[in-house]
Amino acid sequence: MPHPSVPNDDQVAQATATLAQVKDYLRTDPPVSDVLPLLASLLDEDTGVPILLGDVLRSAARIVAQQAASSETDEIRLIITGLREAAQEATDWHVLHWDMQRLNGHSFEPAGSPTTS
């Protein structure tokens, strides 16, 4: 297996900046038809943010556990447990992928349209 390249701080900052851009865009109330493709990518069941974030947090917990083995304190154990629990919670959100697929079958009114009662 090839050794992956080390991401630099700028690359990680770009990833979070892109997520912030999506967040800001969604706050403008765009049409659902424009939002669904973005959400489908973000929530992909294999490569979406929940899966990737879960993998990152699990790997961080493993690295900390391995490298703190001789000097592991209660505080470090709590941090490792927190990382592992957060990883599981993040990964659990991958089920939203199916919700995005189900939304594709519905029609939506543009934001701000009057509703009929």
Side-chain angles (χ1 to χ4, degrees):
M1 179 159 143
H3 198 53
S5 61
V6 178
N8 62 45
D9 293 342
D10 290 337
Q11 290 170 310
V12 174
Q14 181 60 46
T16 57
T18 300
L19 286 174
Q21 183 181 7
V22 171
K23 173 200 66 153
D24 292 341
Y25 172 66
L26 294 176
R27 288 183 176 171
T28 68
D29 296 328
V32 172
S33 60
D34 292 348
V35 171
L36 287 178
L38 298 174
L39 293 176
S41 294
L42 285 171
L43 299 171
D44 184 85
E45 64 184 321
D46 297 315
T47 60
V49 171
I51 297 298
L52 295 175
L53 181 58
D55 287 348
V56 166
L57 294 171
R58 257 186 295 287
S59 293
R62 178 184 48 77
I63 291 166
V64 170
Q66 287 174 347
Q67 296 183 18
S70 63
S71 63
E72 194 171 298
T73 63
D74 288 341
E75 182 179 28
I76 290 175
R77 278 190 288 283
L78 284 173
I79 292 168
I80 292 167
T81 298
L83 287 168
R84 288 178 178 153
E85 289 173 356
Q88 185 59 53
E89 289 177 27
T91 303
D92 287 347
W93 287 105
H94 83 282
V95 298
L96 291 171
H97 164 79
W98 300 111
D99 293 335
M100 296 307 103
Q101 287 188 351
R102 288 198 312 271
L103 283 176
N104 280 321
H106 297 277
S107 59
F108 296 90
E109 297 292 327
S113 293
T115 59
T116 55
S117 306

